[in-house]
Amino acid sequence: MSLQGKTALVTGSTSGIGLGIALSLAKAGANLVLNGFGDASAAITEVAKHGGKVGHHPADVSSPEQIAEMIANAERDFGGIDILVNNAGIQHVAPVDEFPVERWDSIIAINLSSVFHATRLALPGMRSRGWGRIVNIASVHGLVGSVNKAAYVAAKHGVIGLTKVVALETATTNITCNALCPGWVLTPLVQQQIDQRALADGDLDRARRDLLAEKQPSLEFVTPGQLGELVLFLSSDAASQVRGAAWNVDGGWLAQ
Ligand code: NAD
């Protein structure tokens, strides 16, 4: 499929899943607005290899003002956002009665409220151009819980609820809104959890195997590229009646 002439904004695309999705969109011909922390130059170079226009905005998506500035810049420099992928997210693992209040607040701001702000600010442009795709990167934790992930699970359940509302409010238009719900994907966010598990005996391989074995029957990680291919499908005409879905990609996690 060709996304030539379309512009995609992927939040949190300087690493991990966001970068994988940005690469898939760029390979299909889309122009890309990247976002995320850290040195963005490697991500920009990699995405730019595919020939489209590439920019990066360093907005901290916990700030509604910075999201607004990022979207206004994208509209000015790229002519609008056709595909919005709300991907930026963080994790913190602790029992609920020990969960640091400031970590709760930042997980809700980054993993949930940013999806609301980016969506409300990108939608008017999509409506005026008569086409749009919004893909929210939720998680299996938007559909089931796990211990020690109170804020993350609450935020991801919220993302799926928001996805359904936006899908209904756009149901008679050429704009769709869906969520992807990955199981384990080996990114810096998950590597931190593997490192934490390996603290006791330093055996990273065992920590990785145990992490998969607890939840993911395939015993294999989902890849960012596989999620990128799904974003391409959701951006296609074939997916124009896929609305408000929460599509799990989880090696069988939710089949149990
Ligand atoms: P990651 O840590 O590799 O990447 C996160 C990205 O978000 C980075 O580019 C980072 O700079 C950016 N980011 C973090 N805080 C930000 C902020 N305040 N403002 C702007 N950018 C910010 O993580 P990942 O594993 O690629 O996760 C991406 C998304 O996928 C998250 O929403 C995560 O919850 C979700 N997810 C991940 C997994 C997994 O197993 N890795 C599974 C299900 C869902």
Side-chain angles (χ1 to χ4, degrees):
M1 73 176 289
S2 173
L3 293 176
Q4 211 90 40
K6 303 265 193 251
T7 294
L9 165 63
V10 185
T11 67
S13 46
T14 48
S15 88
I17 293 171
L19 179 55
I21 292 172
L23 283 168
S24 296
L25 288 163
K27 280 181 204 160
N31 300 321
L32 258 302
V33 180
L34 305 177
N35 157 256
F37 295 153
D39 182 6
S41 55
I44 294 171
T45 307
E46 216 179 325
V47 174
K49 279 183 195 149
H50 300 289
K53 184 173 167 181
V54 186
H56 171 262
H57 194 284
D60 176 343
V61 300
S62 67
S63 155
E65 293 76 23
Q66 292 186 35
I67 295 174
E69 193 192 299
M70 173 168 67
I71 288 179
N73 280 12
E75 283 178 347
R76 189 195 61 216
D77 298 344
F78 286 75
I81 297 161
D82 305 297
I83 301 168
L84 170 65
V85 182
N86 288 304
N87 166 78
I90 59 167
Q91 175 64 285
H92 186 83
V93 180
V96 68
D97 48 346
E98 292 167 20
F99 212 91
V101 171
E102 68 282 3
R103 298 302 286 169
W104 170 277
D105 288 343
S106 45
I107 289 176
I108 297 300
I110 294 167
N111 294 19
L112 175 58
S113 301
S114 76
V115 181
F116 161 66
H117 293 300
T119 300
R120 72 178 173 82
L121 292 161
L123 256 181
M126 290 178 180
R127 286 194 197 277
S128 71
R129 287 184 299 281
W131 193 91
R133 292 289 188 265
I134 301 171
V135 183
N136 297 326
I137 306 306
S139 167
V140 284
H141 285 120
L143 296 164
V144 293
S146 284
V147 295
N148 298 337
K149 295 187 174 173
Y152 189 85
V153 169
K156 295 298 187 180
H157 275 69
V159 167
I160 291 177
L162 175 60
T163 300
K164 291 174 182 171
V165 172
V166 175
L168 291 174
E169 291 182 6
T170 54
T172 59
T173 72
N174 284 327
I175 301 164
T176 70
C177 179
N178 292 288
L180 294 184
C181 301
W184 293 123
V185 187
L186 190 54
T187 65
L189 180 141
V190 165
Q191 188 61 47
Q192 278 170 18
Q193 294 172 62
I194 294 169
D195 294 346
Q196 213 171 345
R197 281 168 176 259
L199 281 179
D201 62 2
D203 190 340
L204 279 170
D205 283 341
R206 187 162 69 201
R208 196 177 297 121
R209 274 198 311 275
D210 288 353
L211 177 107
L212 284 170
E214 268 175 21
K215 304 275 189 182
Q216 198 146 303
S218 67
L219 304 178
E220 286 181 19
F221 289 101
V222 178
T223 68
Q226 289 169 335
L227 298 171
E229 290 296 315
L230 272 180
V231 173
L232 291 188
F233 172 67
L234 290 173
S235 302
S236 71
D237 290 341
S240 67
Q241 291 310 319
V242 183
R243 293 171 184 267
W247 187 337
N248 50 308
V249 189
D250 61 4
W253 184 322
L254 295 185
Q256 298 167 100

